[in-house]
PDB file of all heavy atoms in Angstrom:
ATOM      1  N   LEU L 159      57.713 179.752  62.775  1.00 92.00           N
ATOM      2  CA  LEU L 159      56.711 178.999  63.541  1.00 92.00           C
ATOM      3  C   LEU L 159      55.926 178.064  62.632  1.00 92.00           C
ATOM      4  O   LEU L 159      55.682 176.899  62.967  1.00 92.00           O
ATOM      5  CB  LEU L 159      55.757 179.956  64.246  1.00 92.00           C
ATOM      6  CG  LEU L 159      56.246 180.647  65.520  1.00 92.00           C
ATOM      7  CD1 LEU L 159      55.249 181.709  65.967  1.00 92.00           C
ATOM      8  CD2 LEU L 159      56.488 179.643  66.641  1.00 92.00           C
ATOM      9  N   SER L 160      55.538 178.567  61.479  1.00 92.00           N
ATOM     10  CA  SER L 160      54.748 177.768  60.547  1.00 92.00           C
ATOM     11  C   SER L 160      55.545 176.586  59.995  1.00 92.00           C
ATOM     12  O   SER L 160      55.035 175.460  59.927  1.00 92.00           O
ATOM     13  CB  SER L 160      54.272 178.659  59.390  1.00 92.00           C
ATOM     14  OG  SER L 160      53.582 177.895  58.415  1.00 92.00           O
ATOM     15  N   SER L 161      56.800 176.817  59.627  1.00 90.00           N
ATOM     16  CA  SER L 161      57.595 175.768  58.978  1.00 90.00           C
ATOM     17  C   SER L 161      58.086 174.711  59.955  1.00 90.00           C
ATOM     18  O   SER L 161      58.422 173.601  59.549  1.00 90.00           O
ATOM     19  CB  SER L 161      58.793 176.398  58.260  1.00 90.00           C
ATOM     20  OG  SER L 161      59.672 177.021  59.183  1.00 90.00           O
ATOM     21  N   THR L 162      58.136 175.031  61.247  1.00 92.00           N
ATOM     22  CA  THR L 162      58.665 174.077  62.222  1.00 92.00           C
ATOM     23  C   THR L 162      57.585 173.378  63.037  1.00 92.00           C
ATOM     24  O   THR L 162      57.895 172.500  63.840  1.00 92.00           O
ATOM     25  CB  THR L 162      59.628 174.778  63.203  1.00 92.00           C
ATOM     26  OG1 THR L 162      58.941 175.850  63.877  1.00 92.00           O
ATOM     27  CG2 THR L 162      60.845 175.335  62.475  1.00 92.00           C
ATOM     28  N   PHE L 163      56.313 173.741  62.829  1.00 95.00           N
ATOM     29  CA  PHE L 163      55.246 173.178  63.656  1.00 95.00           C
ATOM     30  C   PHE L 163      55.159 171.658  63.519  1.00 95.00           C
ATOM     31  O   PHE L 163      55.224 170.924  64.508  1.00 95.00           O
ATOM     32  CB  PHE L 163      53.900 173.816  63.319  1.00 95.00           C
ATOM     33  CG  PHE L 163      52.743 173.210  64.071  1.00 95.00           C
ATOM     34  CD1 PHE L 163      52.475 173.593  65.374  1.00 95.00           C
ATOM     35  CD2 PHE L 163      51.936 172.231  63.484  1.00 95.00           C
ATOM     36  CE1 PHE L 163      51.414 173.024  66.088  1.00 95.00           C
ATOM     37  CE2 PHE L 163      50.884 171.657  64.188  1.00 95.00           C
ATOM     38  CZ  PHE L 163      50.622 172.058  65.485  1.00 95.00           C
ATOM     39  N   PHE L 164      54.990 171.161  62.298  1.00 95.00           N
ATOM     40  CA  PHE L 164      54.814 169.727  62.113  1.00 95.00           C
ATOM     41  C   PHE L 164      56.081 168.927  62.413  1.00 95.00           C
ATOM     42  O   PHE L 164      55.988 167.858  63.048  1.00 95.00           O
ATOM     43  CB  PHE L 164      54.289 169.434  60.707  1.00 95.00           C
ATOM     44  CG  PHE L 164      52.814 169.645  60.566  1.00 95.00           C
ATOM     45  CD1 PHE L 164      52.322 170.769  59.916  1.00 95.00           C
ATOM     46  CD2 PHE L 164      51.912 168.749  61.105  1.00 95.00           C
ATOM     47  CE1 PHE L 164      50.953 170.988  59.798  1.00 95.00           C
ATOM     48  CE2 PHE L 164      50.536 168.952  60.993  1.00 95.00           C
ATOM     49  CZ  PHE L 164      50.053 170.076  60.335  1.00 95.00           C
ATOM     50  N   PRO L 165      57.260 169.377  61.996  1.00 95.00           N
ATOM     51  CA  PRO L 165      58.468 168.643  62.394  1.00 95.00           C
ATOM     52  C   PRO L 165      58.608 168.516  63.903  1.00 95.00           C
ATOM     53  O   PRO L 165      58.960 167.459  64.422  1.00 95.00           O
ATOM     54  CB  PRO L 165      59.603 169.475  61.787  1.00 95.00           C
ATOM     55  CG  PRO L 165      58.988 170.137  60.610  1.00 95.00           C
ATOM     56  CD  PRO L 165      57.582 170.450  61.026  1.00 95.00           C
ATOM     57  N   GLU L 166      58.302 169.603  64.612  1.00 95.00           N
ATOM     58  CA  GLU L 166      58.398 169.561  66.069  1.00 95.00           C
ATOM     59  C   GLU L 166      57.338 168.632  66.657  1.00 95.00           C
ATOM     60  O   GLU L 166      57.613 167.871  67.593  1.00 95.00           O
ATOM     61  CB  GLU L 166      58.230 170.972  66.635  1.00 95.00           C
ATOM     62  CG  GLU L 166      58.174 171.059  68.149  1.00 95.00           C
ATOM     63  CD  GLU L 166      59.466 170.624  68.831  1.00 95.00           C
ATOM     64  OE1 GLU L 166      60.524 170.642  68.159  1.00 95.00           O
ATOM     65  OE2 GLU L 166      59.407 170.264  70.015  1.00 95.00           O
ATOM     66  N   LEU L 167      56.133 168.671  66.112  1.00 97.00           N
ATOM     67  CA  LEU L 167      55.048 167.832  66.609  1.00 97.00           C
ATOM     68  C   LEU L 167      55.368 166.352  66.439  1.00 97.00           C
ATOM     69  O   LEU L 167      55.211 165.552  67.374  1.00 97.00           O
ATOM     70  CB  LEU L 167      53.753 168.173  65.867  1.00 97.00           C
ATOM     71  CG  LEU L 167      52.513 167.355  66.255  1.00 97.00           C
ATOM     72  CD1 LEU L 167      52.096 167.673  67.691  1.00 97.00           C
ATOM     73  CD2 LEU L 167      51.368 167.636  65.286  1.00 97.00           C
ATOM     74  N   LEU L 168      55.831 165.967  65.251  1.00 97.00           N
ATOM     75  CA  LEU L 168      56.131 164.566  64.977  1.00 97.00           C
ATOM     76  C   LEU L 168      57.255 164.063  65.872  1.00 97.00           C
ATOM     77  O   LEU L 168      57.193 162.956  66.426  1.00 97.00           O
ATOM     78  CB  LEU L 168      56.510 164.389  63.504  1.00 97.00           C
ATOM     79  CG  LEU L 168      55.370 164.080  62.521  1.00 97.00           C
ATOM     80  CD1 LEU L 168      54.303 165.181  62.540  1.00 97.00           C
ATOM     81  CD2 LEU L 168      55.920 163.903  61.103  1.00 97.00           C
ATOM     82  N   SER L 169      58.292 164.875  66.025  1.00 97.00           N
ATOM     83  CA  SER L 169      59.429 164.480  66.848  1.00 97.00           C
ATOM     84  C   SER L 169      59.049 164.419  68.325  1.00 97.00           C
ATOM     85  O   SER L 169      59.436 163.498  69.046  1.00 97.00           O
ATOM     86  CB  SER L 169      60.579 165.466  66.637  1.00 97.00           C
ATOM     87  OG  SER L 169      61.745 165.047  67.295  1.00 97.00           O
ATOM     88  N   MET L 170      58.253 165.382  68.778  1.00 97.00           N
ATOM     89  CA  MET L 170      57.827 165.428  70.177  1.00 97.00           C
ATOM     90  C   MET L 170      56.986 164.204  70.540  1.00 97.00           C
ATOM     91  O   MET L 170      57.149 163.614  71.623  1.00 97.00           O
ATOM     92  CB  MET L 170      57.014 166.711  70.417  1.00 97.00           C
ATOM     93  CG  MET L 170      56.423 166.839  71.817  1.00 97.00           C
ATOM     94  SD  MET L 170      57.700 167.055  73.069  1.00 97.00           S
ATOM     95  CE  MET L 170      56.694 167.296  74.531  1.00 97.00           C
TER      96      MET L 170
END
Side-chain angles (χ1 to χ4, degrees):
L159 282 172
S160 176
S161 64
T162 58
F163 176 81
F164 280 104
E166 174 64 21
L167 179 67
L168 270 59
S169 186
M170 176 68 176

